Amino acid sequence: MVDVILKADSEQGLINRNIYGHFSEHLGRCIYEGIWVGEDSPIPNTEGIRNDVLTALQKLHIPVLRWPGGCFADEYHWKDGIGPKSERARMINTHWGGVEENNHFGTHEFLRLCELLDTQPYISGNLGSGTVQEMQEWVEYITFDGESPMANWRKSNGREEPWKLKYFGVGNENWGCGGNMRPEYYADEYRRYATYVRNYSGNEIYKIACGPNDNNYHWMEVLMREAGRFMDGISLHYYTIPTGEWADKGQATGFGEAEWFTTLKKTLYMEELLFKHSEIMDKYDPEGRVGIIVDEWGTWYNVEPGTNPGFLYQQNTMRDAVLAGINLNIFNQHNKRVHMANLAQIVNVLQALVLTEGEKMLLTPTYHVFDMYQVHMDAQRLELNYESPGYTFGEETIPQLSLSASRSNDGVIHVTACNLSHTDELEVVCQIESTNASAVSGRILHHADYSAFNTFEQPNQVQPADWKGITLENNKLRFVLPPASVGVVAIIKA
């Protein structure tokens, strides 16, 4: 049993809804087949966007969607993706599988998707192989409400009114696939390019610099020192790889107890990364103006057998669900510095929410976690005090319990909880201070098999259920977390 104190009057700031953001790259079947099937497809669609995926994503109230990459962003030239589809330039996707990209899903199609999802677009610009002029003209094309060559071109392509574009990334992974740059060089390039990412027609852009890959603290130091005052956010990328080896990352399914434990241990490293990068940022930005944008995170395994290695298609089990819950709890706890996070990726790639196969679609365990956790979006984080029992496997020990709590605008308190142990249930006794609670309810995501996943033949093997046995007496909340589970409790005040 673990004792928890929830301080209902201890407000710790709003949890930015953008922490629950997502990422869509021109990679494998994320865009084509996953989101875009074209207007002439027999798969039911809205203006080429498949309806089943659209409906599923709408239910999550996705706050922000990143596009077009990823590594693809720094070889993407936006002018190839506008105008009549029959006239759009074709290219080779050199990063992801060497397949042909026909550019049928471009700026207009992406921004239409965002409109249908009621989500904020986050566009990553091409700094690696593009030009300052190209980036400047893209922003002008999208946002300028006036007379100019770019605005007139937009109008001739069917869009009279400009779009609103808040989030713009000035390059992606420029320490690697985006140009193999040194931080000193990229800092100067960022300053130059960002100068021309202008605010047109009342549209104010939140500029995001390319930040470090996992523990590259030197990159963060240089960027904050040399360019911090020119940015609003800085990205951070960290993928959870069970083996720690890129050449053989481990399997998405059919794993054993050791792989379960190691994967969760590695994902908890996100906490250390956020602490240490925040410490560096505090030196140059003590007011906390610049946000950490964790715009690539999630699990990365070996691809499913028989699929294109460049498509990064993997299954999604209860392990991924628990891992997602842990990371979202961590992001919530770092809400003062983390302004956005984007799970990689939204459909058919890496830790996807949705998988498709022809006309079939399924929701992954990770999808259900995002559905359960959306109660935290724009909610007031509340202080939780507890000491987690240890979860030991072999000679190593990690915390068994991960928690986060918030109060929504309607006054309902929500507690999200993950049990990391694959063998032991955990009783939680939570004393609620400074409010009178009158009722509780909950949802639990759990399966007797910790490696269970949904298939196109059995798409509902893993799905949330009503959480039975939660009690509330004298402001003391009790619940039992099954092994390898994710739960959410709603507490209604009197």
Side-chain angles (χ1 to χ4, degrees):
M1 186 182 78
V2 58
D3 291 312
V4 178
I5 297 175
L6 193 163
K7 298 186 177 182
D9 64 344
S10 178
E11 296 185 346
Q12 303 296 306
L14 290 181
I15 295 172
N16 195 315
R17 67 187 293 106
N18 290 334
I19 283 173
Y20 294 83
H22 294 278
F23 173 30
S24 56
E25 183 169 5
H26 287 245
L27 196 174
R29 296 187 301 112
C30 180
I31 299 296
Y32 301 105
E33 297 184 40
I35 293 172
W36 177 264
V37 292
E39 298 92 332
D40 299 330
S41 172
I43 297 174
N45 65 86
T46 299
E47 300 170 43
I49 299 164
R50 57 184 297 163
N51 288 343
D52 52 359
V53 172
L54 185 63
T55 299
L57 298 180
Q58 286 171 333
K59 292 178 180 176
L60 296 183
H61 303 102
I62 289 169
V64 62
L65 183 60
R66 182 175 180 238
W67 173 85
C71 291
F72 184 81
D74 278 289
E75 66 176 0
Y76 180 66
H77 300 282
W78 68 271
K79 293 178 183 179
D80 293 340
I82 61 171
K85 293 183 176 62
S86 62
E87 299 176 10
R88 296 186 187 183
R90 295 170 180 263
M91 61 181 283
I92 298 299
N93 193 330
T94 58
H95 285 292
W96 305 120
V99 296
E100 182 181 272
E101 161 71 50
N102 64 19
N103 279 309
H104 284 191
F105 190 90
T107 301
H108 286 252
E109 291 75 23
F110 170 68
L111 293 171
R112 179 59 178 147
L113 170 64
C114 291
E115 289 176 339
L116 292 170
L117 291 174
D118 192 23
T119 189
Q120 290 276 1
Y122 166 18
I123 287 179
S124 293
N126 183 346
L127 182 145
S129 68
T131 66
V132 170
Q133 180 178 351
E134 181 181 15
M135 189 176 289
Q136 179 268 319
E137 288 180 339
W138 199 5
V139 175
E140 180 185 334
Y141 182 92
I142 292 170
T143 63
F144 185 55
D145 185 16
E147 182 75 19
S148 79
M150 292 300 108
N152 292 343
W153 195 11
R154 181 193 71 237
K155 294 172 186 177
S156 72
N157 285 322
R159 177 74 184 198
E160 184 69 25
E161 298 297 320
W163 291 279
K164 289 295 183 182
L165 175 64
K166 184 172 183 180
Y167 301 104
F168 195 90
V170 184
N172 166 78
E173 293 193 357
N174 301 101
W175 36 261
C177 63
N180 290 307
M181 301 176 187
R182 298 177 301 112
E184 294 81 2
Y185 180 80
Y186 171 74
D188 284 342
E189 286 291 271
Y190 171 83
R191 289 169 56 145
R192 183 166 73 101
Y193 275 69
T195 300
Y196 298 94
V197 178
R198 294 193 170 103
N199 294 329
Y200 295 104
S201 307
N203 181 82
E204 295 188 8
I205 289 181
Y206 181 107
K207 300 177 187 179
I208 299 169
C210 168
N213 187 39
D214 54 62
N215 61 3
N216 189 342
Y217 301 115
H218 175 63
W219 185 283
M220 178 65 83
E221 182 89 34
V222 171
L223 262 292
M224 288 302 299
R225 184 185 70 225
E226 302 297 336
R229 65 188 182 278
F230 299 102
M231 67 179 74
D232 300 298
I234 185 167
S235 68
L236 170 64
H237 291 180
Y238 176 63
Y239 286 97
T240 300
I241 300 172
T243 65
E245 300 292 335
W246 283 96
D248 184 9
K249 305 175 189 69
Q251 302 305 314
T253 61
F255 51 85
E257 295 177 336
E259 290 85 359
W260 167 277
F261 182 89
T262 301
T263 305
L264 298 189
K265 179 176 181 290
K266 288 184 179 296
T267 212
L268 287 168
Y269 186 48
M270 181 67 81
E271 183 91 54
E272 179 180 326
L273 291 173
L274 291 176
F275 270 123
K276 290 186 174 180
H277 283 300
S278 294
E279 286 180 349
I280 296 170
M281 296 176 73
D282 288 345
K283 289 168 51 180
Y284 301 99
D285 176 36
E287 298 82 16
R289 182 187 64 82
V290 179
I292 292 178
I293 311 297
V294 192
D295 57 19
E296 291 189 31
W297 69 274
T299 55
W300 197 325
Y301 309 121
N302 296 337
V303 302
E304 293 303 304
T307 65
N308 187 324
F311 282 12
L312 307 187
Y313 178 79
Q314 64 188 42
Q315 253 295 354
N316 193 295
T317 70
M318 271 303 307
R319 177 175 60 167
D320 298 282
V322 173
L323 183 145
I326 293 168
N327 279 276
L328 292 172
N329 285 342
I330 290 172
F331 298 150
N332 288 349
Q333 295 305 109
H334 287 264
N335 63 314
K336 288 183 170 61
R337 190 58 90 169
V338 178
H339 290 188
M340 185 192 298
N342 307 78
L343 178 70
Q345 294 186 10
I346 196 165
V347 184
N348 287 335
V349 172
L350 299 178
Q351 193 174 347
L353 300 178
V354 174
L355 301 179
T356 68
E357 186 177 274
E359 75 286 354
K360 298 177 182 178
M361 183 204 76
L362 65 80
L363 308 178
T364 68
T366 297
Y367 174 97
H368 295 306
V369 172
F370 271 83
D371 189 18
M372 295 161 64
Y373 271 56
Q374 64 177 295
V375 294
H376 287 308
M377 292 195 293
D378 287 339
Q380 184 70 229
R381 183 168 73 85
L382 301 177
E383 183 178 344
L384 284 168
N385 292 326
Y386 69 101
E387 185 171 342
S388 172
Y391 165 37
T392 300
F393 186 83
E395 297 181 355
E396 295 185 291
T397 300
I398 60 176
Q400 183 181 355
L401 180 65
S402 170
L403 294 176
S404 185
S406 68
R407 185 179 59 248
S408 56
N409 289 332
D410 59 6
V412 178
I413 294 173
H414 292 97
V415 178
T416 48
C418 303
N419 183 358
L420 281 64
S421 173
H422 67 292
T423 56
D424 299 332
E425 66 180 25
L426 181 61
E427 182 181 10
V428 177
V429 179
C430 180
Q431 183 66 50
I432 305 168
E433 296 184 348
S434 305
T435 193
N436 290 318
S438 63
V440 294
S441 62
R443 298 279 285 167
I444 189 78
L445 185 67
H446 168 66
H447 196 281
D449 178 1
Y450 62 78
S451 63
F453 57 94
N454 294 327
T455 67
F456 294 105
E457 293 71 34
Q458 294 180 291
N460 299 314
Q461 285 197 101
V462 181
Q463 59 181 337
D466 291 337
W467 195 353
K468 307 296 185 182
I470 303 174
T471 64
L472 177 67
E473 186 176 355
N474 297 325
N475 267 20
K476 186 169 285 189
L477 170 70
R478 291 178 179 267
F479 56 84
V480 176
L481 278 165
S485 64
V486 182
V488 58
V489 179
I491 304 166
I492 301 173
K493 66 180 183 179

